Amino acid sequence: MASSFLIFSFTIFSLFLSLSSSLPNDTLLNAADVLANSGYLSMSLTLQLIAKTFFSYFPFATIFSPSDDAFALYGQPSLSLLSFHFCPVAYSLSDLQSFPFGSEIPTHLPNRSLVVTTLPSDDQISINDVKIDGSSIYDDGFLVIFAIDKFFDYNFKIGAQVQSPVDGPSPSSNLECPVSHWDFSSFSEASGVLRSRGYSIMASFLGLQLMQFGDDDTQFTVFAPMDEALQGHIGNSTNWASLFLRHVVPSELSWTDLSKLDDGTVLSTFLGGFLINVTHSGNVLLLNHVPVILSNMYHSDHVVVHGIPEILVMPEKQEIREKQELQVEFSPRYGGGIVEEVMLDEF
């Protein structure tokens, strides 16, 4: 009965979506800041990067945020799994407490609902047999965020043996989610290497695998700043996407490839308009005057990661506006072969 009421309420609510706006931008930015300051950096980054995907048509939402440890343990959450933790209705703590055992909660994942598993004798709310950690992390009336220790299981059923999302089967392949068809094992491996070398913040960015880099043949290079350089920017969620995208080049460039580039070669990045100027100082390779200090930290068929000590900033215009400057033009299939150079009159 309660389950039918929840689904009915959601259906009625959906009829008014055409008259509704998306979640306020300030709400999303404030929520991302609160998550980061509360120790939920992975979900904070997630919210910043995918807000337009999930919240463009719904003026309210509830998010169940797994811990950073859960993100690290799971490895590489897909957008399908993340959408299973987003509900298009803002439920308060008292709302969740009022739902009886077996009630279904709608999610952004098509044809998948969460199930309330709170027993009358329980002190904590339980959903899909996962405990909700106390009161909400964030609640402004539009968006409510609750903390959980691990990811929900796609295939949970009352009375069935619960499998962790790591070991459990993935959702049906016909689900339409805005992700590419990559094999994301490279992302997981690269993220693990980055964390072990003191680049955990960039590892979190890369581990989200939320950027649509392209098709199966896309290759790219990440220049990863150390954690110390990024610490001061964690609280300001408005520039996270910019920070990450400016350090990613749409081609696979090994250390051998980089070392062969001429002084003045300009690399384009995934951040539109942001360019990386390559120069040399003796045996040191400089990117916008920042040295590469750990080359080939990770190298696979699609991804190369190099370590740098600082955040890249745009070089002075006079350094790159000279006529006949060199810019690297990347082929989608470039994998360490010849780099084409084209002449640019101005930027």
Side-chain angles (χ1 to χ4, degrees), residues 140-151:
D140 68 352
F142 296 99
L143 174 63
V144 185
I145 304 177
F146 295 97
I148 54 179
D149 290 333
K150 60 182 179 181
F151 284 93

PDB file of all heavy atoms in Angstrom, residues 140-151:
ATOM      1  N   ASP A 140      18.117  21.986   1.882  1.00  0.00           N
ATOM      2  CA  ASP A 140      17.662  23.373   1.711  1.00  0.00           C
ATOM      3  C   ASP A 140      16.233  23.423   1.202  1.00  0.00           C
ATOM      4  O   ASP A 140      15.755  24.479   0.761  1.00  0.00           O
ATOM      5  CB  ASP A 140      18.591  24.145   0.784  1.00  0.00           C
ATOM      6  CG  ASP A 140      18.536  23.662  -0.663  1.00  0.00           C
ATOM      7  OD1 ASP A 140      17.883  22.623  -0.926  1.00  0.00           O
ATOM      8  OD2 ASP A 140      19.139  24.324  -1.535  1.00  0.00           O
ATOM      9  N   GLY A 141      15.531  22.287   1.261  1.00  0.00           N
ATOM     10  CA  GLY A 141      14.161  22.225   0.778  1.00  0.00           C
ATOM     11  C   GLY A 141      14.048  21.785  -0.659  1.00  0.00           C
ATOM     12  O   GLY A 141      13.031  21.218  -1.061  1.00  0.00           O
ATOM     13  N   PHE A 142      15.086  22.044  -1.469  1.00  0.00           N
ATOM     14  CA  PHE A 142      15.120  21.584  -2.854  1.00  0.00           C
ATOM     15  C   PHE A 142      15.899  20.275  -2.974  1.00  0.00           C
ATOM     16  O   PHE A 142      15.500  19.355  -3.679  1.00  0.00           O
ATOM     17  CB  PHE A 142      15.784  22.633  -3.760  1.00  0.00           C
ATOM     18  CG  PHE A 142      15.045  23.925  -3.856  1.00  0.00           C
ATOM     19  CD1 PHE A 142      15.433  25.020  -3.097  1.00  0.00           C
ATOM     20  CD2 PHE A 142      13.959  24.055  -4.705  1.00  0.00           C
ATOM     21  CE1 PHE A 142      14.758  26.225  -3.187  1.00  0.00           C
ATOM     22  CE2 PHE A 142      13.270  25.257  -4.810  1.00  0.00           C
ATOM     23  CZ  PHE A 142      13.677  26.343  -4.033  1.00  0.00           C
ATOM     24  N   LEU A 143      17.036  20.223  -2.304  1.00  0.00           N
ATOM     25  CA  LEU A 143      17.933  19.074  -2.372  1.00  0.00           C
ATOM     26  C   LEU A 143      18.240  18.585  -0.960  1.00  0.00           C
ATOM     27  O   LEU A 143      18.580  19.383  -0.080  1.00  0.00           O
ATOM     28  CB  LEU A 143      19.230  19.472  -3.084  1.00  0.00           C
ATOM     29  CG  LEU A 143      20.351  18.435  -3.122  1.00  0.00           C
ATOM     30  CD1 LEU A 143      19.923  17.198  -3.901  1.00  0.00           C
ATOM     31  CD2 LEU A 143      21.616  19.037  -3.740  1.00  0.00           C
ATOM     32  N   VAL A 144      18.130  17.273  -0.782  1.00  0.00           N
ATOM     33  CA  VAL A 144      18.454  16.650   0.498  1.00  0.00           C
ATOM     34  C   VAL A 144      19.503  15.574   0.241  1.00  0.00           C
ATOM     35  O   VAL A 144      19.387  14.802  -0.717  1.00  0.00           O
ATOM     36  CB  VAL A 144      17.210  16.010   1.162  1.00  0.00           C
ATOM     37  CG1 VAL A 144      17.566  15.483   2.552  1.00  0.00           C
ATOM     38  CG2 VAL A 144      16.065  17.009   1.241  1.00  0.00           C
ATOM     39  N   ILE A 145      20.552  15.545   1.077  1.00  0.00           N
ATOM     40  CA  ILE A 145      21.636  14.570   0.907  1.00  0.00           C
ATOM     41  C   ILE A 145      21.823  13.796   2.201  1.00  0.00           C
ATOM     42  O   ILE A 145      21.970  14.388   3.279  1.00  0.00           O
ATOM     43  CB  ILE A 145      22.954  15.252   0.512  1.00  0.00           C
ATOM     44  CG1 ILE A 145      22.771  16.080  -0.759  1.00  0.00           C
ATOM     45  CG2 ILE A 145      24.062  14.217   0.319  1.00  0.00           C
ATOM     46  CD1 ILE A 145      24.007  16.860  -1.182  1.00  0.00           C
ATOM     47  N   PHE A 146      21.821  12.465   2.088  1.00  0.00           N
ATOM     48  CA  PHE A 146      22.081  11.585   3.215  1.00  0.00           C
ATOM     49  C   PHE A 146      23.364  10.794   2.962  1.00  0.00           C
ATOM     50  O   PHE A 146      23.690  10.472   1.812  1.00  0.00           O
ATOM     51  CB  PHE A 146      20.919  10.600   3.423  1.00  0.00           C
ATOM     52  CG  PHE A 146      19.628  11.244   3.811  1.00  0.00           C
ATOM     53  CD1 PHE A 146      18.656  11.513   2.854  1.00  0.00           C
ATOM     54  CD2 PHE A 146      19.369  11.598   5.132  1.00  0.00           C
ATOM     55  CE1 PHE A 146      17.453  12.118   3.196  1.00  0.00           C
ATOM     56  CE2 PHE A 146      18.178  12.208   5.495  1.00  0.00           C
ATOM     57  CZ  PHE A 146      17.218  12.464   4.522  1.00  0.00           C
ATOM     58  N   ALA A 147      24.075  10.475   4.025  1.00  0.00           N
ATOM     59  CA  ALA A 147      25.323   9.711   3.917  1.00  0.00           C
ATOM     60  C   ALA A 147      25.057   8.225   4.112  1.00  0.00           C
ATOM     61  O   ALA A 147      24.253   7.826   4.960  1.00  0.00           O
ATOM     62  CB  ALA A 147      26.328  10.199   4.958  1.00  0.00           C
ATOM     63  N   ILE A 148      25.738   7.406   3.318  1.00  0.00           N
ATOM     64  CA  ILE A 148      25.712   5.956   3.475  1.00  0.00           C
ATOM     65  C   ILE A 148      27.141   5.436   3.383  1.00  0.00           C
ATOM     66  O   ILE A 148      28.013   6.089   2.804  1.00  0.00           O
ATOM     67  CB  ILE A 148      24.819   5.271   2.420  1.00  0.00           C
ATOM     68  CG1 ILE A 148      25.243   5.682   0.993  1.00  0.00           C
ATOM     69  CG2 ILE A 148      23.356   5.598   2.668  1.00  0.00           C
ATOM     70  CD1 ILE A 148      24.414   5.024  -0.100  1.00  0.00           C
ATOM     71  N   ASP A 149      27.386   4.256   3.954  1.00  0.00           N
ATOM     72  CA  ASP A 149      28.747   3.718   4.015  1.00  0.00           C
ATOM     73  C   ASP A 149      29.167   2.981   2.752  1.00  0.00           C
ATOM     74  O   ASP A 149      30.355   2.797   2.505  1.00  0.00           O
ATOM     75  CB  ASP A 149      28.901   2.786   5.221  1.00  0.00           C
ATOM     76  CG  ASP A 149      28.874   3.547   6.535  1.00  0.00           C
ATOM     77  OD1 ASP A 149      29.244   4.738   6.528  1.00  0.00           O
ATOM     78  OD2 ASP A 149      28.482   2.964   7.564  1.00  0.00           O
ATOM     79  N   LYS A 150      28.197   2.508   1.981  1.00  0.00           N
ATOM     80  CA  LYS A 150      28.545   1.750   0.778  1.00  0.00           C
ATOM     81  C   LYS A 150      27.494   1.973  -0.297  1.00  0.00           C
ATOM     82  O   LYS A 150      26.432   2.566  -0.040  1.00  0.00           O
ATOM     83  CB  LYS A 150      28.655   0.257   1.089  1.00  0.00           C
ATOM     84  CG  LYS A 150      27.383  -0.375   1.633  1.00  0.00           C
ATOM     85  CD  LYS A 150      27.603  -1.851   1.962  1.00  0.00           C
ATOM     86  CE  LYS A 150      26.345  -2.497   2.528  1.00  0.00           C
ATOM     87  NZ  LYS A 150      26.580  -3.924   2.855  1.00  0.00           N
ATOM     88  N   PHE A 151      27.774   1.526  -1.495  1.00  0.00           N
ATOM     89  CA  PHE A 151      26.843   1.691  -2.601  1.00  0.00           C
ATOM     90  C   PHE A 151      25.658   0.743  -2.454  1.00  0.00           C
ATOM     91  O   PHE A 151      25.784  -0.369  -1.951  1.00  0.00           O
ATOM     92  CB  PHE A 151      27.545   1.412  -3.932  1.00  0.00           C
ATOM     93  CG  PHE A 151      28.448   2.520  -4.401  1.00  0.00           C
ATOM     94  CD1 PHE A 151      29.797   2.504  -4.090  1.00  0.00           C
ATOM     95  CD2 PHE A 151      27.948   3.566  -5.163  1.00  0.00           C
ATOM     96  CE1 PHE A 151      30.638   3.523  -4.507  1.00  0.00           C
ATOM     97  CE2 PHE A 151      28.783   4.597  -5.589  1.00  0.00           C
ATOM     98  CZ  PHE A 151      30.121   4.572  -5.256  1.00  0.00           C
TER      99      PHE A 151
END
